[in-house]
Amino acid sequence: CIFTVQLKAKENRNRQKSVSADHTNKKSEIGIGQENCNRCISNFKVHCLLQTQVIEDDQAKRGGQVYVTNIRGQVPPLVTTDFTVQDQGNASPRFMRCTTYSFPSTADLAKQCKVPLAAIIKPFATVPKNETPLYIVNHGETGPIRCNRCKAYMCPYMQFIDGGRRYQCGFCSCVNEVPVQYFQHLDHMGRRMDLYERPELSLGSYEFIATLDYCKNNKPPNPPVYIFMIDVSYNNIKSGLVKLICEELKTLLDRLPKEEGAETSPIKVGFVTYNKILHFYNVKSALAQPQMMVVSDVAEMFVPLLDGFLVNFQESRAVVNNLLDQIPDMFADTNESETVFAPVIQAGVEALKAAECSGKLFIFHSSIPTAEAPGKLKNRDDRKLVGTEKEKTLFQPQRGVYEQLTKDCVAQGCCVDLFLFPNQYVDIATMGDVPSHTSGSIYKYSNFQVNGPQFISDLRRDVEKSIGFDAIMRVRTGTGFRATDFFGAIYMNNTTDVEMAAVDCDKAVTVEFKHDDTLSEESGAVMQCALLYTTIGGQRRLRIHNLSLNCSSQLSELYKSCETDALINFFAKSAYRAMLNQPLKTVREILVNQMAHMLACYRKSCASPSAASQLILPDAMKVFPVYMNSLLKTATLVGSTELSTDDRAFHRLLVNAMGVEETQVLLYPRLIPLHTMDVSSEVIPAPVRCSEERLSESGMFLLENGLSVFLWLGQACPPDLIQNLFSVPSLGHLPSEGMSLPVLDNAHSRKIHSIISSISQQRATSMKLLIVKQKDQSEMLFRQHLVEDKGLHGGASYMDFLCYVHREIRQLLT
């Protein structure tokens, strides 16, 4: 990982460093001067103007087009561009994106340029309706064809020889016999006659039906189960949360995921409520009333019943609905405010073990678990540690019970999704540890209010989304390089197998590669991601994604083929991991140092000679500095006592599982002007630079970053616009807090609701809409997302950051 390798080099450099007085500012953490170097400013302003322009240009050039994947090392359109993928031999960029599509041919070149070589893999990414879904290949009892030496699966990179009787592996070059049943003659070009009839020979992504050899104990798996586990302590009852969950589940259970073409879902469901003790429910269809069984010995957790706990909802509908009606009343008079947490997960794992299946736990929880039980937590939120060597301990999970629980969950294929409703500190660093290692999701609703639509929207999507269970992933590569590091909501028991209790359409794994030999420019660099998983119908399958990249001894090719959005995903994840073991100041310095090295190497090795006062960036990395500066200013990395420790830990865990699209919009939010939009057009207005400079007193702007949506109202916002949107005569008639956006019958209202709805559909979680008025106190929340400006909690403006990076580059070059 870059963060360990660079420490010594950085210390040596610091000893040699001498920064001239006019560029020094002791108040600034990374030494960015308040007064910019005048001769650089005009140059930097050009770079500042490029940020949204790069996105617009790519959309104009490649938007609406078909991206065909038949060319090796082809750089795909940006994640912000609308395009259609046609698979012709390489995986769609929806499944795999790389930091560069031209790898350096030697380890020395890679070391020289310091550009990380990585792929961001989203194996279950959603395929749009206008693209072909993955083909399923069934080779019967013989199973998929694999290389005898490296075990790579049959794919377009295998070269058939000897009249079709043998094939050479595209990964390890081993020559294998073609099984008799798979034999096919070759044409005059040396290609198999059935090339286009077999997905595994002509496509980048496809699935194999796995044989019993790929199943635990050589037995077909049972369909998975969903267990809903509800905290019924005092706060959740009184807030109305328990009633809301129970009401929603009555309709939501009809929408459990099902196999394509099937009428009903094979997924079984179970229910647990808990506070200091756990209550299990028998909801067998033959019963007139549900039965409760209580386990009060939480130290030795067991499931008190097998028959009737996990049921088919369609068969037990009446009993389940009866239970959901009764739960809020059963606990209506509770005074119990203490809760347990680890025993709840343990109960879920034990239930899955007993049923011999995989599945998911939906846990709805609101407070730090303080009851006497395994996994009891204490408040360790010490803001005095912020900015010290010990700050990292705030983000390190408390080990012991939770570490063992993670292993148990992964072994059983038990994914944990955690819905948190905290009013105060709950130690998300620890409570989120099991979900984040079982490929689960964490949702957080601080100071929850029952009438907010965000939670219900998230719950519906979470229950309904496409998912696979009990998954194991391996990334194979051609000779000369290998996968060395993995980042994501994953568990690793060894250095090669990525274990995921479940895998869904939102989770991405970032994989770093290193050379172990010279790469051939002729054959390029090939990689194959193989994901073994269980479908919701209980079928074992292999999902294969293949990608081929170019290799070059020219660094200019590498820089030309870089993808900034993928690069910043890698840097964010590696920094967020490093902060568990290193001081935040060190992590920030290493990020800046590596970026300066990357850009200095480009200037030295690839750029045309130019004046030293000019900042030269590769075309493909024009937006890289703004993303890096934004990353340095994220709540997680900035280190301020004003920021909640739980919020910072939550943000860290969220980013760890994100794909390229999610990190891109998080680090450069969309700022959309609404006051000048054409209400008759269906197009969303083009975003402007994310800076206060672009706001106007007479304007109205929408800002979204994938997690939140803000509607900003300028002080001089036209009264007719306010009337059309809020049904009040002017801005002064709107309250400062608690505003909502009503649905009104006019063109402006319909257009803005349409824009918000369209944006929400693109995002992995429901986004809370916050309406802020210029100069109101709530505007501070909005301003911290204007990433080109100086950070509210620390961190430089984009202009100052460019100036500082430029000085670093010049120093490296001299």
Side-chain angles (χ1 to χ4, degrees):
C1 180
I2 56 173
F3 290 92
T4 46
V5 173
Q6 288 193 30
L7 273 175
K8 283 188 179 172
K10 181 182 73 66
E11 283 163 8
N12 292 336
R13 229 177 95 254
N14 283 348
R15 278 196 284 273
Q16 298 160 8
K17 207 172 185 180
S18 66
V19 182
S20 58
D22 63 323
H23 281 316
T24 307
N25 171 21
K26 287 181 183 173
K27 290 179 187 172
S28 172
E29 242 181 349
I30 53 173
I32 299 174
Q34 293 297 309
E35 293 178 14
N36 290 313
C37 192
N38 287 334
R39 64 182 177 276
C40 305
I41 282 182
S42 57
N43 176 226
F44 291 165
K45 280 188 174 169
V46 173
H47 286 301
C48 286
L49 293 171
L50 281 166
Q51 307 314 314
T52 49
Q53 196 61 50
V54 167
I55 290 169
E56 276 183 48
D57 289 351
D58 198 70
Q59 177 62 38
K61 188 178 168 186
R62 307 181 79 175
Q65 296 189 4
V66 176
Y67 173 71
V68 184
T69 71
N70 58 344
I71 300 170
R72 187 180 84 190
Q74 184 180 204
V75 182
L78 298 178
V79 288
T80 44
T81 299
D82 257 334
F83 61 97
T84 303
V85 179
Q86 188 177 16
D87 185 346
Q88 286 192 9
N90 283 293
S92 158
R94 304 192 201 288
F95 295 121
M96 293 177 87
R97 277 185 180 267
C98 290
T99 52
T100 177
Y101 287 79
S102 181
F103 275 17
S105 51
T106 67
D108 285 344
L109 276 176
K111 194 175 177 182
Q112 185 185 332
C113 71
K114 284 198 160 45
V115 173
L117 310 177
I120 294 88
I121 304 171
K122 203 186 247 190
F124 251 61
T126 303
V127 177
K129 287 187 171 65
N130 62 342
E131 292 179 17
T132 311
L134 297 195
Y135 287 98
I136 299 167
V137 179
N138 188 354
H139 284 312
E141 289 181 13
T142 56
I145 312 295
R146 303 178 70 177
C147 170
N148 290 329
R149 184 196 289 161
C150 72
K151 302 300 179 191
Y153 292 88
M154 181 54 67
C155 71
Y157 313 142
M158 305 300 192
Q159 183 67 45
F160 286 87
I161 54 175
D162 197 13
R165 285 184 288 274
R166 295 191 297 166
Y167 69 91
Q168 184 171 28
C169 176
F171 296 87
C172 68
S173 301
C174 173
V175 175
N176 298 265
E177 297 292 326
V178 173
V180 176
Q181 74 278 5
Y182 198 70
F183 173 77
Q184 180 59 264
H185 293 286
L186 307 184
D187 65 11
H188 66 288
M189 302 275 287
R191 297 178 306 190
R192 281 175 60 117
M193 305 287 280
D194 61 355
L195 176 70
Y196 295 109
E197 294 162 30
R198 290 193 177 272
E200 73 274 23
L201 299 181
S202 55
L203 299 178
S205 300
Y206 42 86
E207 290 197 330
F208 291 117
I209 290 177
T211 58
L212 289 179
D213 298 344
Y214 293 86
C215 304
K216 282 182 183 172
N217 305 322
N218 285 34
K219 281 165 52 183
N222 292 317
V225 302
Y226 282 2
I227 305 177
F228 298 90
M229 314 182 93
I230 306 169
D231 165 2
V232 289
S233 59
Y234 177 83
N235 281 345
N236 286 359
I237 294 292
K238 288 296 174 259
S239 70
L241 174 64
V242 172
K243 187 174 178 59
L244 179 70
I245 293 168
C246 291
E247 283 300 315
E248 178 58 30
L249 285 178
K250 283 192 279 189
T251 54
L252 190 52
L253 292 173
D254 269 322
R255 302 209 293 271
L256 292 170
K258 48 181 181 268
E259 295 278 28
E260 200 156 326
E263 285 185 22
T264 60
S265 172
I267 294 173
K268 290 187 173 183
V269 294
F271 304 89
V272 173
T273 55
Y274 67 93
N275 39 51
K276 287 206 301 197
I277 58 178
L278 276 73
H279 324 101
F280 296 78
Y281 297 93
N282 184 345
V283 284
K284 194 157 51 166
S285 57
L287 296 173
Q289 287 280 335
Q291 296 172 348
M292 179 203 278
M293 302 189 81
V294 178
V295 175
S296 52
D297 183 4
V298 289
E300 295 291 332
M301 186 44 62
F302 67 99
V303 180
L305 75 158
L306 292 179
D307 189 28
F309 176 58
L310 298 173
V311 297
N312 180 299
F313 174 64
Q314 301 302 335
E315 293 170 7
S316 293
R317 179 189 296 272
V319 193
V320 169
N321 285 343
N322 195 337
L323 169 67
L324 295 171
D325 284 334
Q326 287 182 35
I327 285 174
D329 296 332
M330 268 191 269
F331 300 97
D333 299 325
T334 186
N335 291 316
E336 187 56 72
S337 59
E338 285 195 318
T339 56
V340 296
F341 183 63
V344 178
I345 300 174
Q346 189 67 54
V349 177
E350 295 301 329
L352 297 191
K353 279 183 188 171
E356 296 184 344
C357 66
S358 52
K360 186 191 273 197
L361 313 181
F362 296 81
I363 302 179
F364 307 92
H365 192 93
S366 69
S367 59
I368 191 164
T370 54
E372 284 302 329
K376 173 185 175 179
L377 298 177
K378 61 179 187 293
N379 188 330
R380 58 190 185 115
D381 184 18
D382 186 356
R383 303 279 176 95
K384 291 197 291 292
L385 298 181
V386 173
T388 72
E389 289 275 327
K390 290 188 175 177
E391 183 176 4
K392 60 193 175 198
T393 60
L394 296 173
F395 306 103
Q396 294 167 353
Q398 297 181 47
R399 293 293 181 190
V401 171
Y402 292 101
E403 200 168 11
Q404 186 55 48
L405 265 181
T406 297
K407 289 178 184 173
D408 294 346
C409 284
V410 172
Q412 191 53 45
C414 173
C415 170
V416 179
D417 277 2
L418 179 59
F419 294 80
L420 279 169
F421 306 86
N423 293 326
Q424 53 196 22
Y425 176 78
V426 291
D427 194 356
I428 286 180
T430 301
M431 293 191 72
D433 195 45
V434 177
S436 68
H437 281 96
T438 58
S439 303
S441 301
I442 307 164
Y443 302 88
K444 179 172 173 280
Y445 312 93
S446 299
N447 305 309
F448 175 74
Q449 292 176 329
V450 169
N451 57 0
Q454 196 187 357
F455 159 59
I456 289 301
S457 177
D458 282 338
L459 178 59
R460 285 175 185 167
R461 189 177 184 280
D462 198 51
V463 168
E464 295 172 21
K465 69 186 171 185
S466 167
I467 191 168
F469 291 92
D470 200 13
I472 189 160
M473 184 176 98
R474 184 173 280 199
V475 178
R476 293 181 173 85
T477 58
T479 50
F481 75 114
R482 61 195 165 86
T484 56
D485 219 343
F486 301 83
F487 306 86
I490 54 174
Y491 181 79
M492 297 198 69
N493 211 17
N494 55 43
T495 55
T496 54
D497 295 329
V498 178
E499 296 184 63
M500 294 177 275
V503 54
D504 65 45
C505 53
D506 300 322
K507 301 295 184 299
V509 180
T510 299
V511 185
E512 187 178 11
F513 302 103
K514 289 271 165 56
H515 286 74
D516 47 22
D517 206 343
T518 300
L519 296 174
S520 157
E521 293 188 46
E522 187 186 340
S523 53
V526 292
M527 58 185 78
Q528 181 181 81
C529 163
L531 179 85
L532 175 65
Y533 73 99
T534 301
T535 67
I536 46 180
Q539 187 179 64
R540 207 74 171 135
R541 280 193 201 161
L542 284 149
R543 179 170 286 210
I544 310 295
H545 298 300
N546 304 290
L547 191 61
S548 61
L549 310 177
N550 288 332
C551 293
S552 177
S553 56
Q554 303 299 313
L555 283 178
S556 56
E557 288 300 313
L558 175 141
Y559 282 103
K560 201 180 355 179
S561 303
C562 275
E563 204 206 304
T564 300
D565 298 334
L567 271 171
I568 204 63
N569 177 283
F570 171 82
F571 279 115
K573 289 188 180 184
S574 49
Y576 281 10
R577 180 195 285 178
M579 64 183 281
L580 294 179
N581 303 307
Q582 293 174 28
L584 282 185
K585 187 170 183 290
T586 305
V587 173
R588 289 191 295 267
E589 286 173 355
I590 290 173
L591 283 171
V592 177
N593 178 258
Q594 176 146 7
M595 186 177 81
H597 265 97
M598 288 162 62
L599 299 178
C601 177
Y602 173 77
R603 176 145 192 171
K604 183 180 177 182
S605 309
C606 311
S608 308
S610 58
S613 61
Q614 270 198 298
L615 174 63
I616 308 292
L617 298 178
D619 275 348
M621 294 171 75
K622 292 280 191 214
V623 294
F624 187 45
V626 76
Y627 286 142
M628 182 59 85
N629 189 36
S630 180
L631 173 60
L632 293 165
K633 292 189 288 189
T634 53
T636 309
L637 284 183
V638 82
S640 164
T641 52
E642 294 169 37
L643 296 166
S644 139
T645 304
D646 267 348
D647 282 350
R648 295 173 69 198
F650 174 61
H651 188 274
R652 189 189 150 268
L653 294 174
L654 277 186
V655 169
N656 193 37
M658 282 183 177
V660 178
E661 305 92 319
E662 291 83 14
T663 47
Q664 185 277 329
V665 75
L666 182 71
L667 295 172
Y668 199 85
R670 285 203 284 183
L671 183 63
I672 302 168
L674 300 177
H675 51 287
T676 54
M677 68 183 178
D678 176 1
V679 292
S680 61
S681 166
E682 291 186 6
V683 179
I684 295 176
V688 294
R689 279 180 43 218
C690 206
S691 167
E692 185 182 4
E693 268 180 36
R694 302 316 300 261
L695 303 176
S696 61
E697 288 203 345
S698 59
M700 178 184 289
F701 291 81
L702 194 77
L703 184 144
E704 70 98 7
N705 69 348
L707 301 178
S708 306
V709 186
F710 294 89
L711 182 61
W712 183 87
L713 311 172
Q715 278 183 313
C717 203
D720 58 332
L721 192 54
I722 297 294
Q723 178 69 47
N724 282 339
L725 293 183
F726 297 97
S727 201
V728 297
S730 70
L731 190 68
H733 288 79
L734 286 172
S736 292
E737 289 182 6
M739 283 181 280
S740 60
L741 188 66
V743 179
L744 301 174
D745 189 17
N746 65 67
H748 265 107
S749 182
R750 282 192 292 271
K751 176 66 178 172
I752 286 184
H753 278 284
S754 162
I755 289 172
I756 293 171
S757 170
S758 173
I759 289 169
S760 298
Q761 285 167 18
Q762 298 169 17
R763 304 301 172 218
T765 56
S766 173
M767 297 186 287
K768 187 176 182 178
L769 175 64
L770 295 163
I771 300 166
V772 296
K773 294 197 289 184
Q774 186 180 13
K775 300 263 177 14
D776 270 8
Q777 196 176 350
S778 58
E779 195 192 16
M780 297 295 280
L781 280 170
F782 165 80
R783 284 184 179 275
Q784 70 189 26
H785 297 294
L786 299 175
V787 295
E788 290 198 20
D789 301 337
K790 194 172 179 196
L792 295 181
H793 302 289
S797 71
Y798 179 39
M799 185 78 85
D800 281 341
F801 183 69
L802 276 178
C803 233
Y804 175 69
V805 169
H806 189 207
R807 286 199 306 276
E808 288 285 293
I809 292 168
R810 289 173 68 179
Q811 208 169 333
L812 286 169
L813 292 173
T814 54

